[in-house]
Amino acid sequence: MHVAVLSGSVYGTADLVADEAADRCREAGLGVSRIKPANVDGLLEANPDAILVCVSTTGMGELPDSFMPFFIGLQDRFPLFTGKPFAVVALGDSAYGDTFCQGGEQLRELLLELQAHEALPMLRLDASETVSPELDAAPWFDQFIAVIQC
Ligand SMILES: Cc1cc2nc3c(=O)[nH]c(=O)nc-3n(C[C@H](O)[C@H](O)[C@H](O)COP(=O)(O)O)c2cc1C
């Protein structure tokens, strides 16, 4: 079982969460491609069995600028991931109201359009609620690892 772990971040938090996820996957005996920066060629070359993406929200519900080439690349090239398990960790701040975790939502919708299969409901990490999102995400990572190995 081989997992691709990608991230999109402005200030580095989503990268940190993704690094932690990659470590936990490795500790569980999974093969891991930590694709950083996120890019379509790297993802396709890795040809993973499952995809995990940690992405924050910026602006008014937008994806990080550094993540846009990946997102637009997926939209343009439209590689089908039919049936491939994926999960998204969305970082945001509930103080932003309606745009809370919209970046993660956008990515989730695109992966569903690409026919990937959502292995686990999206995890929302709220900057208003936690100072250690990578630790808070640990039980969700364990669930993700268990689900994709079934
Ligand atoms: C300028 C700015 C705009 C933001 N806009 C949103 C937003 O629209 N929705 C949201 O949920 N969070 C928003 N956030 C909160 C970030 O997504 C949150 O702090 C996140 O943990 C940052 O992760 P990062 O370090 O990986 O970029 C915003 C933060 C900043 C600084």
Side-chain angles (χ1 to χ4, degrees):
M1 175 62 68
H2 190 105
V3 185
V5 181
L6 304 97
S7 54
S9 180
V10 179
Y11 301 105
T13 321
D15 292 334
L16 188 76
V17 172
D19 289 343
E20 180 67 23
D23 284 348
R24 287 188 93 91
C25 287
R26 283 190 202 100
E27 283 163 20
L30 304 181
V32 175
S33 294
R34 176 74 178 94
I35 301 170
K36 192 176 167 182
N39 71 92
V40 178
D41 285 330
L43 176 57
L44 296 180
E45 277 160 27
N47 191 23
D49 302 303
I51 301 169
L52 176 60
V53 190
C54 305
V55 67
S56 68
T57 300
T58 190
M60 293 293 286
E62 285 139 36
L63 288 160
D65 283 350
S66 61
F67 193 74
M68 287 312 290
F70 173 66
F71 187 79
I72 291 169
L74 285 179
Q75 283 179 322
D76 288 349
R77 293 167 66 175
F78 219 75
L80 291 182
F81 297 123
T82 308
K84 199 176 287 277
F86 81 92
V88 174
V89 178
L91 289 89
D93 189 330
S94 56
Y96 285 86
D98 286 350
T99 66
F100 180 49
C101 289
Q102 279 302 305
E105 290 286 359
Q106 289 184 51
L107 178 71
R108 175 180 173 272
E109 280 165 25
L110 178 56
L111 289 169
L112 289 171
E113 282 175 36
L114 297 173
Q115 298 180 8
H117 164 71
E118 190 167 36
L120 199 62
M122 189 168 83
L123 174 66
R124 292 170 178 78
L125 294 171
D126 185 354
S128 288
E129 298 275 326
T130 179
V131 288
S132 52
E134 74 284 7
L135 299 182
D136 290 9
W140 186 95
F141 292 149
D142 292 343
Q143 249 184 299
F144 173 74
I145 290 164
V147 165
I148 62 171
Q149 290 188 111
C150 282

